Amino acid sequence: MTATAPHQEQLWSRCEGCASLLYRKRLRRNLDVCPECGAHARLAAPERLSQLVDPGSFTPLPDRPAEVDPIDFVDVLPYPHRLTAARAGTGLDEAVVCGTAAVGRHRCALAVMDFRFLGGSLGAAVGEMITRTAERALDDRIPLVLVTASGGARMQEGALSLMQMATVSQAIAGLREAGLLTVSVLTDPTYGGVAASFATNTDVVLAETGARMGFAGPRVIRQVTGRALPEGFQTADFLLRHGQVDMVVPRHALRGRLAALLAAAGSGRRPVPAAAVPRQERPPGAARPADVAEPTAAPARQPAGGDAWETVRLARHPGRPTTLDYLDSAFEGFVELHGDRLGGDCPAVVGGLARLDGRHLMVIGHQKGHTTAELVAHNFGMASPAGHRKALRLMRLAARLGLPVVTLVDTPGADPGVRAEEQGQAAAIAENILAMSVLPVPVVAVVTGEGGSGGALALAVADRVLMLQHAIYSVISPEGCAAILWPDRGAAPQAARALRLTAPDLCRLGIVDDVVPEPVPAAHHDPEATTRALREAVRANLLPLLDVPTATLVRRRRQRFRRFGAARIGSRAGAR
C-alpha cells in the first residue's frame, strides 16, 4: 500500500494491487489486506509479531547484534552510513527481530525478518541472530519459526555474508537431528541467499498469499534469458503448483495454521538425537570450551594479490583447466556417474568415483568448457536443480561407502532460468548446504575459477576450502554489484575491489584455508603445472582429515562455519 500522507497523519492508503483508496483504520482491522482485491501489503517485523504471537508472550533475545563492517565496503556511501540510515528509518537494530513467544499457547522461537532494513539482506549480524534463535530453540527444545522477507545476501559484507547461508543451515540441521519442528513462512519478497538456505530447508514451508520467492529475481532472469516470464511467475500459487511449498495461507489464517502445526509438534514423543553435541552457553566472543576446541591448521599461503579486476578476468579465462581436465590428469580411474534419479542429468555438474594416490574418493565439480560450443553445452557451468540434486546424490553415496569427497568449484552462479525456478532451484541449493554440514566423511573444496554466490556454496561447505591463486569467490558478480550500488555497470572494476573476492582477501577473512599457487602468469599458460599443484594441495589437506573420528569431523565443520558469526567477525575487524 502507498501512503498518501506522513505516517503520523495518515488516514488513507492506496492499494498497490487495485489502486483503491482505503481508510487506514479499516485496512489495519483487516490485517493490512486490501478488502477490495485481497492484496497483502508488506508488514514490518513488529507488526508481523503482533499479528502472529499471543499478546504479551514475546520475549526478545537478550543480545544486541555486533557492529560489523568486515571488508570496509564503500560504494557511493560507506557501509556504516547505510546501516545508520536503516536504523533511523526502521527503529530496528538489524533486519531481523528474534525471540521466544507463544502462538496459540504453544511456545516457539521466532526470527522475523524486516524488508525495510536494507532489503532484509542477510549479513553477519542477521545470520548470527537467527543462528542464536535456533540454538535457543534447541536448548529449550521448542520449535523454530522463521518469517522471511529478503532480497538476498548483503553485498556490503562480501563472501562473509554468503557464509551465513551455511551457518544458519547447520543450526537448522541440529534441530532436525533433535527431532524439533522447523517452519518457515515465506512473505513478499524472499529471494537469493535466504531463499536458497533457511527459507526452504525447514520441515514445513508456508507461503503467505501474494508472497514471491525464488533464487534469482525476475529482472535478472529476464536479462539473462531474454524471455518474457510466465503469468504469476514465482508467486505463492506458482510455488504451490510446482511443489515448492506445503501450503499457501492467507494472512488472516496464518496464526491459526501455525498454532495447529506447533500443537502437532508437541503431541508426539521426541526422539533422542543420535549424535547431538550439547551447546554450552557462553557470552558472545567468549573462548570455546576445551572439549570443542577448533582444530589447529597450518597458516595459509597468502601470495601477494594483484588487481582484483584483473583477477576476475583471469578466473574467467576460457583456457583455464576445467573439472574434466583435472579429473583426467590430477586423479586416476575416473568413473562418471550420471543423473539425479528424479528425471534430469545436468551437464554443468560432473562427478563420480576416482582415485588419488590409490585411495578411492568421490569427485564432484562444475564443468564449463573451453570452446563456445562446450560452454553452451555445459550451460557455462551454471547448475540446474538437477545438477545440485545429482551432486547431493553422489555425496550421500560417498557417505554410505565411507569415501572422502573432493569438490571443484567453478561457476558464475546457479542457473537463473525460468525452468530452474520451476524445478526448485532455491530449495535444491538449500538442501545441499544443509546436507554437507553433516556429511560424515571428509570434504575438501577447491575454488578453481569462479566461485559465484549460492551456486558455489552448494559445493563448498567443506572441512577445508582451498582456492587457486587467480580464482575468485564472491556473494555477487562485480557487474551485478555495480548495477545495484553504482550508477552503471562501468563501475564493475571498482566493485570487484570493494567485494574482497580474491584468494588473499579471503584468506585474511578466514573463509579460505590455503591458496594453491598458479604458474606465472596464470593457470591457462601451464595447465600441467596447475594440475600438479592442485593434486598436491588436495593430498596435503585431505590426508590429515582421514583419521579424524566422524563425530569430531562434523563438529569441527560446524564450528568452522559457526565462527563466521557477527561477534567473531566484529572482533577480527577491530583487530585489523
Side-chain angles (χ1 to χ4, degrees):
M1 310 298 170
T2 303
T4 59
H7 182 71
Q8 61 269 27
E9 304 170 2
Q10 184 176 322
L11 294 176
W12 300 89
S13 291
R14 189 172 298 280
C15 175
E16 293 181 355
C18 65
S20 296
L21 195 61
L22 304 169
Y23 186 50
R24 187 65 187 163
K25 288 186 178 180
R26 181 191 180 199
L27 189 60
R28 282 292 186 195
R29 288 195 298 270
N30 207 42
L31 304 181
D32 281 283
V33 176
C34 176
E36 304 298 330
C37 72
H40 286 50
R42 292 176 184 171
L43 295 179
E47 295 169 337
R48 178 73 65 178
L49 281 167
S50 70
Q51 292 185 11
L52 288 182
V53 307
D54 297 352
S57 69
F58 182 72
T59 302
L61 292 187
D63 299 325
R64 288 173 58 89
E67 295 285 338
V68 174
D69 182 15
I71 61 175
D72 303 320
F73 189 96
V74 177
D75 49 280
V76 295
L77 281 177
Y79 177 40
H81 292 191
R82 292 189 183 275
L83 288 173
T84 299
R87 287 170 181 146
T90 63
L92 303 179
D93 291 325
E94 255 297 348
V96 67
V97 176
C98 302
T100 58
V103 179
R105 300 193 302 276
H106 301 286
R107 284 193 69 223
C108 63
L110 293 101
V112 180
M113 303 187 76
D114 196 315
F115 192 77
R116 299 174 304 156
F117 197 108
L118 295 181
S121 51
L122 175 62
V126 174
E128 176 73 12
M129 293 171 70
I130 298 175
T131 298
R132 290 186 186 181
T133 307
E135 291 171 344
R136 178 63 180 270
L138 183 60
D139 288 343
D140 293 355
R141 301 195 66 75
I142 55 178
L144 172 69
V145 176
L146 305 171
V147 182
T148 62
S150 175
R154 190 168 294 178
M155 292 174 289
Q156 293 91 340
E157 296 182 18
L160 286 164
S161 64
L162 189 65
M163 297 300 106
Q164 305 310 312
M165 295 168 61
T167 301
V168 180
S169 292
Q170 66 185 20
I172 290 175
L175 292 170
R176 181 180 289 187
E177 292 169 356
L180 295 168
L181 177 70
T182 57
V183 180
S184 63
V185 180
L186 308 178
T187 73
D188 187 58
T190 297
Y191 281 100
V194 171
S197 56
F198 53 89
T200 52
N201 63 19
T202 54
D203 298 311
V204 180
V205 181
L206 311 183
E208 184 179 65
T209 298
R212 294 170 298 156
M213 188 277 288
F215 179 63
R219 185 179 67 175
V220 172
I221 296 173
R222 281 192 294 264
Q223 288 175 345
V224 172
T225 65
R227 295 172 53 190
L229 302 182
E231 183 71 25
F233 182 63
Q234 295 182 327
T235 62
D237 291 334
F238 171 94
L239 299 171
L240 185 66
R241 287 197 308 272
H242 290 89
Q244 297 176 41
V245 298
D246 290 283
M247 61 189 86
V248 177
V249 186
R251 186 170 292 167
H252 69 83
L254 195 53
R255 184 173 182 273
R257 199 60 53 87
L258 281 175
L261 289 169
L262 297 177
S267 66
R269 292 185 59 188
R270 190 160 293 127
V272 177
V277 180
R279 189 179 72 87
Q280 300 186 24
E281 286 293 335
R282 58 185 182 276
R288 293 179 179 272
D291 65 324
V292 293
E294 293 183 15
T296 301
R301 291 184 293 253
Q302 296 188 29
D307 177 72
W309 183 242
E310 179 59 26
T311 302
V312 170
R313 296 175 63 184
L314 291 174
R316 295 171 173 173
H317 195 285
R320 289 182 74 85
T322 68
T323 291
L324 286 177
D325 294 330
Y326 289 123
L327 284 166
D328 184 55
S329 53
F331 302 91
E332 305 98 32
F334 174 58
V335 178
E336 186 172 0
L337 302 176
H338 291 272
D340 66 350
R341 296 297 184 269
L342 294 172
D345 182 35
C346 173
V349 174
V350 298
L353 300 167
R355 297 190 305 276
L356 180 65
D357 293 340
R359 182 179 299 277
H360 292 273
L361 38 76
M362 188 73 74
V363 183
I364 306 163
H366 300 102
Q367 176 62 22
K368 284 184 175 178
H370 299 294
T371 67
T372 300
E374 290 173 346
L375 289 165
V376 171
H378 292 282
N379 198 29
F380 298 86
M382 297 186 295
S384 67
H388 293 120
R389 290 167 180 145
K390 174 168 66 173
L392 180 60
R393 182 177 73 84
L394 298 186
M395 287 187 283
R396 286 175 170 164
L397 175 59
R400 290 198 299 274
L401 299 177
L403 301 178
V405 173
V406 174
T407 64
L408 304 178
V409 176
D410 186 13
T411 178
D415 184 354
V418 172
R419 183 72 171 156
E421 294 293 328
E422 291 175 343
Q423 294 176 345
Q425 182 70 284
I429 295 172
E431 189 61 28
N432 274 31
I433 293 170
L434 189 148
M436 291 189 79
S437 71
V438 296
L439 206 65
V441 292
V443 184
V444 174
V446 189
V447 183
T448 62
E450 287 187 275
S453 190
L457 186 64
L459 291 186
V461 182
D463 303 296
R464 298 283 290 175
V465 178
L466 318 179
M467 277 184 77
L468 265 65
Q469 182 179 349
H470 298 305
I472 59 172
Y473 192 8
S474 178
V475 65
I476 190 173
S477 71
E479 294 88 348
C481 182
I484 296 170
L485 296 180
W486 273 269
D488 57 63
R489 286 177 174 264
Q494 188 177 349
R497 298 175 194 114
L499 284 167
R500 304 290 193 269
L501 45 67
T502 68
D505 286 330
L506 295 168
C507 273
R508 284 190 289 270
L509 291 169
I511 292 172
V512 168
D513 299 296
D514 205 355
V515 178
V516 182
E518 296 186 24
V520 178
H524 55 280
H525 286 269
D526 192 346
E528 291 184 5
T530 305
T531 294
R532 290 193 298 270
L534 180 137
R535 178 186 176 92
E536 179 55 38
V538 170
R539 179 195 295 117
N541 283 273
L542 180 60
L543 287 178
L545 299 172
L546 297 176
D547 296 325
V548 178
T550 297
T552 303
L553 190 73
V554 173
R555 187 187 70 220
R556 287 178 177 176
R557 191 182 308 140
R558 285 177 162 176
Q559 289 169 2
R560 170 192 173 84
F561 287 91
R562 184 65 183 88
R563 73 173 184 249
F564 296 125
R568 291 178 175 267
I569 292 171
S571 65
R572 287 203 301 271
R576 184 172 71 248

